Amino acid sequence: MDDQLFRATHRTATHVLSLDLHPIFRNNRDIELALRQFIFKAHRSGEPVVEIIPGKGTGQLRARVLTFLGQKHIRRLYDRVEVSDGNTGRVLVHFARC
C-alpha cells in the first residue's frame, strides 16, 4: 500500500496518525488492505489514538470502516472507537496504553 495514504495531522499539541480513505473509496480490496495495515501499524508502534477519515458522503464507507473494526481479531487490537456526532467524517480509534 502507498505510504501517501498515511498522513500525520496536528491537533493542538498532539500528533495523530491518520488514514484518509478518499483516494481509494471505490476499491473494496484496497480499503480492507489499507485499514488492516494501518491498524496493525498503529498497534505495533504504540499510538494512543489514530484517525480514519472515511468522509461524510452517504455513510456507506463509514459503515464499512466500523464493520471492519468490529471483527473479532481486529477488535482485540484497540480499546474503543469514537464517532463524533459533530464530525461524522472521521472515526477515532483509541488503543489501550500498556
Side-chain angles (χ1 to χ4, degrees):
M1 185 180 65
D2 293 344
D3 281 335
Q4 71 186 21
L5 294 177
F6 297 113
R7 67 184 170 106
T9 59
H10 295 282
R11 303 249 186 259
T12 60
T14 61
H15 182 260
V16 179
L17 195 63
S18 294
L19 172 63
D20 187 351
L21 295 175
H22 288 103
I24 58 170
F25 75 96
R26 289 193 175 139
N27 189 323
N28 290 334
R29 205 161 91 204
D30 286 350
I31 291 168
E32 176 84 14
L33 180 61
L35 287 168
R36 183 174 307 283
Q37 288 180 345
F38 183 68
I39 292 297
F40 279 101
K41 179 181 179 179
H43 181 259
R44 270 194 318 271
S45 66
E47 294 290 329
V49 64
V50 295
E51 176 184 56
I52 300 171
I53 305 170
K56 293 184 181 180
T58 63
Q60 289 180 343
L61 188 51
R62 181 180 59 162
R64 268 213 229 124
V65 168
L66 295 175
T67 298
F68 169 83
L69 292 172
Q71 295 177 75
K72 209 179 266 190
H73 66 286
I74 300 296
R75 179 68 185 96
R76 291 184 199 138
L77 300 174
Y78 65 87
D79 186 42
R80 67 186 173 96
V81 172
E82 178 183 344
V83 180
S84 174
D85 290 334
N87 185 358
T88 58
R90 76 176 186 163
V91 176
L92 297 176
V93 182
H94 297 267
F95 293 89
R97 296 185 189 252
C98 297

